[in-house]
């Protein structure tokens, strides 16, 4: 219902939907292949970090899914006033899909479940804690049950949510857009990995010296003791979003002044597994007529020979996983 409503090319007819779906899918595969090749080139030439293949998942907080794709910014704010229980019921109903989307083929400490937040900062604290945070927190802990870490883009200023953020398993990576760097470091720096906050717009408007001074300021606050990665508050979409010379100068400064003399030293004292609370038992496996398990599929289309079943199963699960989650 929702996907054709958001994508008119899927709404004309079953044949048109199939054709446009195929175009969309092939385009996404091409983009991911190009991204993979670029990451491999960067890794080999510059030695920069690339997660273990197959260890990166992406999901969305249930509240963001409901607000962004079903109800819209205005309607969701009316909903939490007029029919709060329906919103809470929707959060619970969306959880199995959110859990499914963050699962990865491999679990590795270098990988993560990536969450790009949106609506949290637009809510009052009491509404955030009632509607947004409970399922968000449970989603993160359910990833933790698998040994999976979180990578969370905190859109807007999350300073007022610091106490909530302390409730997530240690080692979560918080990428901040805005907020109080000193407070983030003091409150979260021992147990979580922090980054962001550098204003991308400064690379366009500032002088070389101003840009480097800002990098120095952030590194001086956030880096001591470890648990820090240098990043901007958002990423440039094209080369015109920045002055390339400023960009290179800042990256060079971070490269030269962001090194530790004790790499490999444990910087988070708490054990990850000791900070994970199990919630997965609360939710059933995701079920959908569009997302069929191998066991269900083979009841309808049984293998012609039992010897080919392992091959069919592996390929079926591979291609099912490859289908973009936004289209499922």
């Amino acid at each position: 219902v929702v996907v054709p409503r958001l994508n008119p090319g899927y709404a004309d007819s079953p044949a048109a939907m199939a054709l446009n779906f195929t175009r969309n899918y092939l385009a996404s595969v091409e983009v991911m292949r190009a991204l993979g090749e670029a990451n491999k080139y960067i890794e080999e030439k510059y030695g920069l970090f690339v997660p273990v293949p197959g260890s990166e998942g992406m999901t969305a907080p249930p509240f963001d899914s409901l607000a962004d794709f079903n109800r819209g910014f205005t309607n969701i704010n009316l909903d939490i006033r007029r029919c709060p229980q329906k919103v809470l019921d929707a959060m619970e109903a969306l959880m199995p899909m959110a859990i499914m989307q963050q699962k990865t083929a491999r679990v590795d400490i270098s990988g993560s479940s990536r969450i790009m937040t949106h609506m949290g900062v637009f809510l009052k604290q009491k509404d955030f804690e009632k509607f947004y945070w409970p399922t968000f927190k449970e989603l993160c802990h359910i990833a933790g049950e698998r040994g999976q870490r979180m990578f969370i883009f905190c859109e807007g200023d999350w300073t007022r949510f610091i106490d909530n953020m302390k409730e997530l398993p240690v080692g979560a990576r918080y990428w901040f857009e805005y907020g109080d760097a000193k407070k983030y470091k003091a409150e979260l720096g021992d147990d979580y990995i922090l980054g962001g906050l550098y204003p991308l717009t400064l690379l366009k408007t500032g002088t070389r010296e101003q840009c480097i001074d800002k990098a120095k300021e952030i590194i001086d606050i956030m880096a001591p003791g470890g648990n820090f990665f240098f990043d901007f508050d958002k990423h440039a979409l094209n080369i015109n979003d920045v002055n390339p010379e400023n960009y290179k100068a800042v990256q060079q400064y971070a490269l030269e002044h962001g090194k530790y003399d004790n790499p490999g030293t444990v910087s988070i004292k708490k054990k990850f597994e000791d900070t994970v609370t199990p919630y997965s038992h609360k939710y059933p496996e995701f079920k959908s007529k569009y997302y069929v398990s191998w066991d269900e599929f083979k009841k309808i289309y049984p293998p012609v020979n039992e010897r080919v079943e392992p091959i069919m199963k592996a390929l079926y699960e591979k291609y099912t996983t490859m289908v973009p989650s936004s289209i499922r």
Side-chain angles (χ1 to χ4, degrees):
V1 173
V2 174
V3 171
R5 187 179 295 164
L6 297 175
N7 301 272
Y10 292 164
D12 293 339
S13 68
M17 180 173 184
L19 182 59
N20 287 324
F21 175 92
T22 304
R23 290 185 178 122
N24 188 346
Y25 175 69
L26 293 176
S28 69
V29 169
E30 190 172 311
V31 168
M32 293 308 295
R33 181 185 297 115
L35 182 61
E37 292 172 353
N39 280 339
K40 189 66 176 176
Y41 173 80
I42 292 170
E43 180 185 21
E44 291 176 351
K45 183 171 182 178
Y46 299 105
L48 298 185
F49 168 76
V50 176
V52 168
S55 64
E56 288 279 280
M58 181 172 284
T59 190
F63 191 93
D64 283 339
S65 293
L66 182 68
D68 292 346
F69 301 115
N70 298 76
R71 299 298 293 146
F73 188 94
T74 301
N75 286 332
I76 194 63
N77 282 289
L78 294 174
D79 292 343
I80 62 178
R81 305 285 182 272
R82 295 175 177 175
C83 49
Q85 189 57 49
K86 285 186 176 181
V87 176
L88 294 173
D89 291 344
M91 300 299 96
E92 297 293 309
L94 285 165
M95 273 293 282
M97 183 175 71
I99 294 166
M100 176 273 293
Q101 288 175 331
Q102 75 178 356
K103 288 183 178 178
T104 54
R106 298 179 62 179
V107 174
D108 188 271
I109 194 171
S110 69
S112 63
S113 169
R114 300 176 71 89
I115 290 183
M116 307 290 112
T117 68
H118 178 213
M119 287 294 299
V121 291
F122 297 103
L123 299 173
K124 295 178 182 178
Q125 187 70 26
K126 65 182 182 66
D127 292 332
F128 176 88
E129 294 184 357
K130 180 177 181 178
F131 297 101
Y132 195 95
W133 185 250
T135 47
F136 182 109
K137 180 179 80 170
E138 291 180 1
L139 189 62
C140 296
H141 280 274
I142 288 169
E145 289 181 64
R146 304 176 67 232
Q148 194 173 16
R149 271 59 172 178
M150 303 305 298
F151 186 105
I152 302 167
F153 175 57
C154 301
E155 181 176 340
D157 185 345
W158 276 57
T159 307
R160 64 188 170 104
F161 302 139
I162 283 178
D163 286 341
N164 299 98
M165 298 164 81
K166 293 177 182 178
E167 298 176 12
L168 299 191
V170 298
R173 300 154 201 171
Y174 292 125
W175 173 21
F176 296 110
E177 186 174 22
Y178 309 124
D180 186 332
K182 292 181 179 179
K183 195 167 185 179
Y184 286 143
K185 181 65 178 180
E187 298 284 340
L188 301 170
D190 290 339
D191 297 326
Y192 302 94
I193 301 166
L194 315 179
L197 296 175
Y198 188 103
L200 185 76
T201 53
L202 184 62
L203 299 180
K204 180 75 171 180
T205 61
T207 65
R208 184 177 186 278
E209 290 71 24
Q210 287 173 329
C211 292
I212 291 175
D213 286 346
K214 188 63 178 180
K216 181 179 186 304
E217 174 191 331
I218 291 174
I219 291 174
D220 287 350
I221 294 172
M222 302 288 278
N227 298 338
F228 169 70
F229 62 96
F230 183 84
D231 209 338
F232 303 101
D233 61 349
K234 56 184 68 67
H235 287 166
L237 297 180
N238 62 65
I239 196 66
N240 294 320
D241 289 342
V242 300
N243 177 335
E245 294 306 313
N246 286 344
Y247 181 86
K248 288 191 291 184
V250 167
Q251 294 285 28
Q252 188 64 36
Y253 181 88
L255 178 66
E256 294 174 356
H257 296 85
K259 295 179 180 178
Y260 290 98
D261 58 9
N262 59 340
T265 302
V266 174
S267 57
I268 296 176
K269 307 304 181 186
K270 296 177 183 177
K271 291 184 177 180
F272 175 78
E273 57 271 20
D274 291 343
T275 63
V276 174
T277 302
Y279 289 105
S280 58
H281 62 279
K282 291 181 56 178
Y283 301 100
E285 286 291 317
F286 177 70
K287 297 289 185 182
S288 167
K289 64 180 180 180
Y290 304 110
Y291 189 78
V292 180
S293 70
W294 165 251
D295 289 335
E296 294 170 304
F297 179 82
K298 75 175 183 178
K299 290 177 184 177
I300 306 171
Y301 307 103
V304 296
N305 188 302
E306 64 179 16
R307 290 181 299 174
V308 303
E309 181 172 341
I311 300 171
M312 289 181 63
K313 180 178 186 292
L315 291 174
Y316 180 83
E317 293 179 346
K318 172 185 176 182
Y319 294 127
T320 299
T321 303
M322 287 172 62
V323 175
S325 60
S326 60
I327 298 175
R328 292 180 190 146

XYZ file of all heavy atoms in Angstrom, residues 27 52 74 89 109 117 124 137 151 174 197 243 259 286 303 308 321:
140
model
N 19.560 -0.587 -10.666
C 20.279 0.667 -10.400
C 20.930 0.627 -9.027
O 22.081 1.063 -8.857
C 19.324 1.851 -10.503
N 34.148 -5.080 7.691
C 34.162 -6.419 7.110
C 32.946 -6.570 6.201
O 31.830 -6.219 6.595
C 34.142 -7.485 8.233
C 33.873 -8.863 7.656
C 35.450 -7.457 8.996
N 3.336 16.574 9.780
C 2.184 17.222 10.419
C 1.260 16.209 11.062
O 0.862 16.356 12.226
C 1.410 18.063 9.386
O 2.272 19.059 8.831
C 0.211 18.745 10.045
N 0.664 1.370 19.287
C 0.416 0.069 18.656
C 1.176 -0.046 17.342
O 1.699 -1.120 17.003
C -1.075 -0.115 18.407
C -1.876 -0.285 19.695
O -1.254 -0.564 20.738
O -3.113 -0.127 19.649
N 32.750 -6.818 14.919
C 32.842 -5.575 15.682
C 33.111 -4.367 14.780
O 32.789 -3.234 15.127
C 33.935 -5.693 16.776
C 33.796 -4.555 17.788
C 35.330 -5.728 16.154
C 34.680 -4.704 19.000
N 18.575 8.850 12.443
C 17.409 9.364 13.161
C 16.859 10.615 12.480
O 17.556 11.274 11.708
C 17.760 9.705 14.611
O 18.651 10.834 14.628
C 18.409 8.525 15.312
N 8.758 16.973 22.060
C 8.978 17.349 23.448
C 9.597 16.158 24.186
O 9.409 15.009 23.782
C 7.661 17.732 24.107
C 6.994 18.968 23.530
C 5.659 19.220 24.227
C 4.951 20.427 23.631
N 3.622 20.648 24.265
N 15.287 2.088 21.714
C 16.214 1.443 22.653
C 16.169 -0.074 22.499
O 17.215 -0.739 22.444
C 15.859 1.840 24.089
C 16.780 1.220 25.132
C 16.428 1.649 26.539
C 15.268 0.862 27.080
N 15.059 1.087 28.536
N 25.550 2.133 14.910
C 26.111 3.376 14.394
C 24.920 4.296 14.182
O 24.080 4.049 13.306
C 26.854 3.156 13.085
C 27.575 4.380 12.584
C 28.950 4.482 12.695
C 26.889 5.437 12.007
C 29.625 5.611 12.245
C 27.547 6.570 11.561
C 28.922 6.662 11.679
N 28.121 7.193 18.046
C 27.217 8.326 17.886
C 27.859 9.352 16.949
O 28.923 9.898 17.258
C 26.927 8.976 19.235
C 26.106 8.128 20.180
C 26.574 7.838 21.469
C 24.864 7.630 19.804
C 25.821 7.076 22.345
C 24.108 6.862 20.678
C 24.586 6.587 21.937
O 23.844 5.828 22.805
N 30.027 16.823 14.425
C 30.002 18.176 14.987
C 30.773 19.212 14.169
O 30.558 20.413 14.347
C 30.528 18.189 16.433
C 29.700 17.397 17.449
C 30.403 17.396 18.805
C 28.300 17.960 17.586
N 34.821 24.089 -0.238
C 36.029 24.555 -0.920
C 37.033 23.404 -0.845
O 37.484 23.054 0.252
C 36.568 25.807 -0.217
C 37.868 26.301 -0.819
O 38.631 25.546 -1.423
N 38.145 27.590 -0.630
N 46.316 11.145 15.687
C 46.937 9.849 15.947
C 47.129 9.636 17.449
O 47.377 10.574 18.197
C 48.302 9.767 15.252
C 48.227 9.811 13.734
C 49.617 9.759 13.113
C 49.544 9.802 11.596
N 50.898 9.805 10.971
N 9.508 -11.463 11.529
C 8.825 -10.662 10.515
C 8.149 -11.575 9.499
O 8.772 -12.476 8.951
C 9.836 -9.754 9.813
C 9.233 -8.931 8.704
C 8.363 -7.898 8.976
C 9.543 -9.208 7.382
C 7.804 -7.140 7.965
C 8.995 -8.460 6.359
C 8.128 -7.420 6.650
N 11.951 -28.296 -4.937
C 13.076 -28.625 -5.824
C 12.800 -29.929 -6.579
O 12.192 -30.859 -6.034
C 14.252 -28.783 -4.859
C 13.844 -28.041 -3.629
C 12.363 -28.169 -3.536
N 19.826 -30.621 -5.445
C 19.971 -29.198 -5.802
C 19.405 -28.281 -4.724
O 19.579 -27.065 -4.785
C 19.283 -28.878 -7.155
C 19.840 -29.741 -8.258
C 17.776 -29.016 -7.061
N 18.007 -11.369 0.416
C 18.724 -10.396 1.231
C 19.177 -9.192 0.414
O 19.194 -8.064 0.910
C 19.943 -11.055 1.895
O 19.515 -12.173 2.658
C 20.673 -10.086 2.804
